[in-house]
């Protein structure tokens, strides 16, 4: 498995633990004894955990037996400094009378100690008065408005306990608000007078707004012989700020994002120059360094789950200034060999590949519009079918803001589908959407797609704050011809919120809901339908296993006397089931993540999912929280890397609902799902209804996923 490959990888539990152990770093053991325990007594107003986070000496965690955990050792010099840090931290929280009453180092065995500290907090110091000076120098025509915008909802308030962190935050916030209003040289300072006898604090906030400035000329600093013309850089800057606009640091940040998004610079910095007080303007200085215009990336991957195993190699070649004009030309490929369901018990196996060429023309007609075309050839093996395919896409991307884009495109996709054949001709073939329900056909999809995206996450690889909104709308057939006429909608909502100041505890939420509406009573093609399950979808199922199913019946020869026999469907073995997709989709995920070391994160999640045969606008469409809506609880472990977190997720599906819809007549559901094959069984008593089996049958109730990248 190569870290360079961003796609989902699923491996065994043992491989995951070995990977995490291999990524751990080792450290030379200090000479001091191991710290078994550290207790701080007397804490009431200040949390003991907050104090422990701010001192060097720490106790050995419960996971210390792992290679990436490790014991913590005692250092006498650091311990004496920590006792002073404890008292200083209390003072920073407004407890100026706090003191360390005693400390004790207790030996435990030959080479271990436990540490005991007793503190006396005392009474806190409260803010009795806040004096603000300097805002009377604001321009008279803006004074009332700007004063209100600067002083509204400041962190520091009269009557609160005085905390140094809040005081520094207040000064920084006042300064930032003034600079956002155009006061480029604004400064906020002052002092706090503390009366130790009365436990009262007087805050003196002194503000120096300075002049209000407008943006001036833009200057570019680049390499000695740049290939990117400075005018192209200035043009991108002007998408966020123009000469004569009021100065704003948010506009500078947006301009920097625009320049970096050009994709040809290894480093970008957009700063203000020295203000010109006579003209009341601030120049904009753009400092860029060009990165290599050609790049090659190579990697490999291995994917394993209960239904599929695949090994693959990956490659990509990119030219970022193809024939000048910053045109981007990319060739990327994936070559692999797939086994279904696995190497040892394969129903089919063969090579798979995908080769894509992509061309992008920036500044197509105007600055914020770029042309993008791509051509793809592929060969694939799925559980229900094999295919050869080709894809053509041509469209324009309008991105007026770094966070917002609209991508209308025309798409032509051609496939040769070959479905798996059942063992009995009397059993209907797997429904691929081919005309007359045949098991091999050529299909052509011709559709217009419009994709909207609004991305306000702080980091798309490891998001901790912000949100992501997206919507894909496809219209196939009709005036665009093609073999299928349909409308396909897929909205996507993701939300992230830190639950603590350090952003170690993060709440994540995802909602996706899709519907595929064929025209009239027509059917849809399997390549346009929805599937769920896997490391980035509903984790209670393996990859693509949350779907309506078709079964491949097993047959046996049964004697009928006279040396004759007849072929009948076997009721003694579990038939192989394959997902064929559905016309409706609902996925939701609620996940809480906690980063307890620099590299390790634990997570707990609740996932739910639904893939129905009918679309949501049809009669008989699936119901949310109905018998076909499945739910799972799980735990996860993440190891943070430069290409994203390596995730190990284990999910257990709740036994709420019924089995997956299997359309093949005569199929018998298993009685028990078990976990990872343990506890499952198979009935030989004849057909039963779906309501008589467990939720999500025939798949087991547990699923294991190993992947690179966030779940959502």
């Amino acid at each position: 498995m190569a870290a360079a490959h961003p796609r989902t990888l699923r491996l065994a539990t043992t491989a995951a633990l070995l990977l995490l152990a291999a990524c751990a770093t080792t450290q030379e053991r200090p000479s001091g004894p191991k710290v078994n325990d550290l207790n701080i007594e007397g804490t009431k107003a200040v949390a003991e955990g907050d104090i422990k986070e701010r001192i060097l000496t720490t106790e050995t965690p419960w996971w210390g037996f792992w290679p990436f955990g490790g014991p913590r050792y005692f250092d006498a010099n650091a311990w004496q400094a920590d006792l002073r840090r404890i008292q200083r931290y209390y003072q920073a929280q407004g407890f100026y009378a706090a003191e360390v009453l005693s400390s004790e180092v207790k030996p435990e065995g030959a080479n271990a100690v436990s540490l005991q500290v007793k503190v006396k907090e005392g009474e806190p110091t409260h803010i009795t008065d806040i004096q603000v000076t300097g805002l009377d120098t604001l321009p008279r025509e803006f004074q009332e408005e700007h004063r209100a915008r600067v002083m509204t909802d400041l962190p520091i308030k009269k009557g609160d306990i005085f905390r140094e962190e809040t005081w520094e935050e207040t000064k920084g916030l006042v300064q930032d608000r003034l600079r956002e209003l155009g006061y480029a040289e604004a400064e906020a300072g002052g002092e706090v007078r503390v009366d130790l006898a009365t436990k009262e604090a007087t805050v003196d906030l002194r503000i120096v707004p300075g002049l209000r400035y407008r943006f001036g000329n833009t200057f570019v600093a680049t390499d000695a012989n740049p290939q990117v013309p400075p005018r192209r850089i200035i043009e991108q800057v002007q998408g966020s700020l123009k000469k004569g606009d009021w100065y704003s640091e948010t506009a500078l940040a947006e301009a920097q994002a625009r320049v970096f998004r050009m994709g040809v610079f290894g480093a970008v910095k957009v700063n203000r120059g020295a203000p010109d007080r006579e003209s009341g303007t601030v120049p904009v200085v753009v400092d860029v360094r060009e990165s290599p215009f050609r790049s090659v990336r190579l990697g490999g991957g291995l994917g394993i789950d209960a239904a599929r195993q695949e090994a693959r190699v990956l490659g990509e070649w990119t030219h970022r200034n193809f024939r000048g004009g910053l045109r981007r030309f990319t060739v990327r490929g994936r070559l692999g060999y797939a086994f279904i369901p696995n190497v040892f018990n394969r129903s089919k196996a063969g090579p798979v590949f995908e080769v894509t060429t992509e061309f992008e023309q920036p500044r197509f007609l105007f600055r914020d519009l770029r042309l993008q075309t791509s051509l793809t050839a592929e060969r694939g093996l799925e559980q229900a079918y094999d295919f050869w395919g080709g894809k053509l896409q041509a469209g324009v991307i309008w991105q007026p803001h770094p966070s917002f884009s609209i991508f209308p495109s025309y798409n032509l996709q051609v496939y040769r589908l070959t479905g798996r054949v059942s063992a009995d001709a009397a059993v209907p073939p797997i429904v691929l959407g081919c005309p007359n329900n045949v098991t091999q056909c050529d299909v052509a999809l011709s559709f217009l797609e419009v994709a909207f995206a609004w991305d306000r996450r702080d980091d798309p690889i490891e998001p901790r704050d912000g949100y992501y909104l997206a919507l894909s709308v496809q219209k196939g057939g009709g005036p665009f011809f093609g073999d299928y006429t349909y409308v396909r909608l897929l909205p996507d909502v993701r939300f992230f919120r830190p639950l603590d100041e350090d952003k170690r505890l993060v709440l994540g939420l995802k909602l996706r809901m899709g519907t595929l509406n064929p025209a009239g009573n027509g059917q849809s093609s399997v390549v346009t339908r929805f599937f769920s399950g896997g490391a980035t979808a509903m984790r209670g199922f393996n990859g693509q296993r949350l779907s309506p199913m078709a079964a491949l019946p097993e047959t046996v020869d049964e004697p009928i006397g006279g040396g004759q026999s007849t072929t009948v469907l076997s009721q003694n073995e579990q038939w192989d089931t394959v997902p064929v997709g559905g016309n409706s989709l609902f996925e939701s995920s609620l996940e809480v993540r906690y980063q307890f070391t620099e590299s390790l994160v634990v997570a707990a999640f609740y996932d739910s999912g639904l893939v129905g045969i009918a679309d949501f606008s049809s009669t008989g469409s699936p119901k949310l929280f109905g018998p076909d809506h499945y739910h799972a609880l799980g735990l996860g472990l993440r190891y943070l890397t430069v290409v994203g977190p390596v995730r190990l997720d284990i999910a257990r599906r709740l036994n709420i609902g019924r089995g997956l819809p299997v359309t093949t007549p005569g199929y018998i559901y298993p009685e028990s799902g078990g976990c990872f094959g343990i506890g499952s069984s198979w009935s030989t008593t004849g057909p039963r209804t779906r309501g008589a089996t467990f939720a999500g049958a025939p798949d087991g109730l547990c699923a294991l996923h190993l992947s690179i990248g966030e779940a959502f």
Side-chain angles (χ1 to χ4, degrees):
M1 179 178 62
H5 180 43
R7 295 190 178 183
T8 299
L9 307 174
R10 293 174 291 274
L11 304 175
T13 307
T14 304
L17 297 177
L18 290 175
L19 176 63
L20 294 177
C23 293
T25 59
T26 59
Q27 59 182 357
E28 186 176 344
R29 174 177 171 173
S31 58
K34 183 177 72 170
V35 179
N36 282 342
D37 198 15
L38 170 59
N39 288 319
I40 304 175
E41 296 182 358
T43 58
K44 296 179 181 178
V46 176
E48 180 184 11
D50 291 342
I51 298 175
K52 289 182 176 180
E53 287 182 357
R54 288 162 176 83
I55 61 177
L56 295 178
T57 305
T58 58
E59 60 191 357
T60 300
W62 62 266
W63 63 87
F65 58 88
W66 288 107
F68 48 79
R72 307 296 188 262
Y73 296 99
F74 178 74
D75 184 289
N77 293 328
W79 177 241
Q80 293 302 316
D82 283 338
L83 297 178
R84 295 191 293 271
R85 289 188 183 96
I86 292 174
Q87 186 169 350
R88 180 66 188 94
Y89 179 67
Y90 264 106
Q91 293 172 355
Q93 301 304 306
F95 292 83
Y96 289 93
E99 57 181 325
V100 176
L101 296 177
S102 65
S103 65
E104 187 176 2
V105 181
K106 297 180 179 179
E108 291 189 352
N111 197 29
V113 296
S114 64
L115 307 176
Q116 189 82 25
V117 181
K118 291 184 179 180
V119 299
K120 179 182 178 182
E121 293 184 333
E123 296 298 322
T125 298
H126 289 83
I127 300 171
T128 57
D129 191 22
I130 301 176
Q131 300 173 2
V132 181
T133 58
L135 291 180
D136 55 344
T137 63
L138 292 171
R140 182 170 300 176
E141 63 270 30
F142 304 115
Q143 190 170 112
E144 184 177 347
E145 175 191 352
H146 289 183
R147 176 188 287 271
R149 292 176 66 176
V150 169
M151 299 302 297
T152 300
D153 294 329
L154 290 178
I156 201 165
K157 294 179 175 62
K158 187 176 179 179
D160 288 352
I161 297 175
F162 172 73
R163 291 182 170 87
E164 293 179 8
E165 183 179 7
T166 307
W167 169 232
E168 295 300 324
E169 181 183 356
T170 298
K171 291 187 291 183
L173 185 59
V174 168
Q175 181 173 289
D176 291 345
R177 287 176 176 179
L178 283 168
R179 293 187 177 185
E180 194 64 24
L181 291 170
Y183 302 93
E185 298 176 299
E187 294 183 358
E191 64 180 13
V192 178
R193 297 183 294 276
V194 176
D195 189 327
L196 297 179
T198 62
K199 307 293 189 298
E200 295 179 349
T202 300
V203 176
D204 185 5
L205 178 60
R206 300 167 188 168
I207 302 171
V208 182
L211 297 178
R212 193 182 190 199
Y213 291 93
R214 296 181 184 272
F215 283 116
N217 294 321
T218 300
F219 301 93
V220 176
T222 185
D223 302 280
N225 298 302
Q227 296 191 48
V228 181
R231 59 180 175 82
R232 297 292 296 273
I233 300 172
I234 294 174
E235 183 182 51
Q236 290 298 322
V237 170
Q238 290 175 345
S240 297
L241 58 91
K242 295 181 177 62
K243 184 178 181 180
D245 291 346
W246 289 115
Y247 174 85
S248 164
E249 295 196 343
T250 297
L252 288 176
E254 291 181 357
Q256 180 171 299
R258 278 181 165 274
V259 175
F260 192 79
R261 201 181 67 214
M262 295 173 71
V264 293
F265 299 115
V268 176
K269 191 65 179 177
V270 179
N271 287 318
R272 66 175 176 90
D276 186 339
R277 291 185 174 87
E278 292 186 4
S279 63
T281 60
V282 175
V284 178
V285 179
V286 185
D287 190 357
V288 296
R289 293 295 178 267
E290 294 179 355
S291 60
F293 284 87
R294 296 179 180 87
S295 63
V296 177
R297 295 194 299 174
L298 297 173
L302 178 67
I304 299 176
D305 69 9
R308 181 188 183 92
Q309 298 181 0
E310 180 181 330
R312 50 184 170 257
V313 293
L314 309 148
E316 180 179 290
W317 177 84
T318 301
H319 194 318
R320 296 177 180 84
N321 196 25
F322 184 71
R323 292 190 171 274
L326 301 184
R327 299 177 180 90
R328 182 191 300 265
F329 184 72
T330 302
V331 179
R332 65 176 65 92
R334 171 179 60 87
L335 175 63
Y337 204 90
F339 302 89
I340 297 177
N342 57 64
V343 175
F344 305 103
N345 181 28
R346 57 194 185 195
S347 60
K348 60 179 176 178
V352 294
F353 71 84
E354 179 180 314
V355 179
T356 299
T357 60
E358 185 178 276
F359 175 78
E360 185 175 293
Q361 168 69 64
R363 206 189 184 287
F364 181 68
L365 302 180
F366 56 89
R367 182 191 61 218
D368 296 328
L369 193 69
R370 60 186 191 271
L371 172 70
Q372 187 177 94
T373 61
S374 65
L375 184 65
T376 300
E378 58 184 333
R379 152 74 170 160
L381 273 69
E382 300 296 340
Q383 298 171 47
Y385 63 96
D386 309 339
F387 69 92
W388 293 84
K391 300 177 183 178
L392 170 66
Q393 182 183 57
V396 291
I397 303 174
W398 181 48
Q399 195 164 7
H401 187 276
S403 301
F404 178 68
S405 64
I406 301 177
F407 184 18
S409 63
Y410 170 72
N411 299 261
L412 176 63
Q413 299 179 0
V414 179
Y415 297 93
R416 166 156 288 187
L417 304 177
T418 302
R420 296 177 64 178
V421 181
S422 63
D424 192 315
V427 177
I430 294 173
V431 179
L432 303 180
C434 293
N436 301 319
N437 272 349
V438 297
T439 58
Q440 183 174 21
C441 65
D442 298 327
V443 299
L445 303 176
S446 177
F447 60 92
L448 179 67
E449 181 178 32
V450 182
F452 304 84
W454 177 245
D455 191 350
R456 299 294 291 176
R457 295 172 293 181
D458 59 345
D459 186 341
I461 297 178
E462 296 176 29
R464 296 171 184 249
D465 197 4
Y467 57 90
Y468 173 84
L469 306 174
L471 173 65
S472 169
V473 181
Q474 291 182 9
K475 176 63 177 76
F480 306 104
F481 303 101
D483 295 333
Y484 299 87
T485 299
Y486 65 92
V487 175
R488 188 178 190 268
L489 305 176
L490 183 61
D492 189 345
V493 177
R494 307 175 198 181
F495 175 80
F496 305 90
R497 175 61 58 86
L499 302 179
D500 64 341
E501 294 182 358
D502 297 331
K503 294 187 177 181
R504 288 181 173 270
L505 184 63
V506 177
L507 173 69
L509 174 67
K510 178 186 76 170
L511 291 173
R512 295 176 74 218
M513 188 171 183
T515 183
L516 174 61
N517 301 70
N521 294 321
Q523 65 176 342
S524 59
S525 172
V526 69
V527 294
T528 61
R529 297 177 197 149
F530 298 109
F531 297 82
S532 187
T536 58
M538 202 296 200
R539 285 167 282 185
F541 288 88
N542 286 300
Q544 294 195 338
R545 295 294 295 181
L546 174 49
S547 163
M549 296 284 185
L552 297 177
E554 298 287 341
T555 59
V556 295
D557 292 332
E558 185 174 288
I560 57 176
Q564 302 293 318
S565 64
T566 184
T567 300
V568 298
L569 296 179
S570 171
Q571 302 294 334
N572 299 319
E573 297 183 13
Q574 183 175 353
W575 297 350
D576 188 17
T577 55
V578 292
V580 293
N583 292 340
S584 53
L585 167 75
F586 179 85
E587 291 176 348
S588 69
S589 291
L590 178 66
E591 182 170 285
V592 178
R593 309 164 185 163
Y594 181 71
Q595 182 177 353
F596 62 93
T597 73
E598 183 178 349
S599 301
L600 288 177
V601 177
V602 294
F605 59 87
Y606 158 69
D607 286 2
S608 80
L610 177 155
V611 177
I613 297 175
D615 60 80
F616 280 118
S617 65
S618 301
T619 302
S621 62
K623 306 299 181 183
L624 297 183
F625 299 99
D628 296 314
H629 187 181
Y630 304 103
H631 311 266
L633 298 176
L635 297 173
L637 183 67
R638 287 93 169 90
Y639 184 84
L640 304 182
T641 71
V642 294
V643 294
V646 179
R647 295 191 300 114
L648 174 66
D649 290 324
I650 300 176
R652 207 279 187 184
R653 201 163 60 251
L654 303 180
N655 196 5
I656 301 175
R658 59 190 180 190
L660 292 168
V662 180
T663 57
T664 307
Y667 178 75
I668 301 174
Y669 283 86
E671 293 177 337
S672 173
C675 281
F676 307 118
I678 300 175
S680 60
S681 62
W682 177 250
S683 171
T684 58
T685 58
R688 299 190 310 274
T689 63
R690 288 204 303 271
T693 188
F694 63 92
D699 287 21
L701 290 172
C702 295
L704 173 71
H705 309 281
L706 182 66
S707 63
I708 295 180
E710 283 294 358
F712 54 90

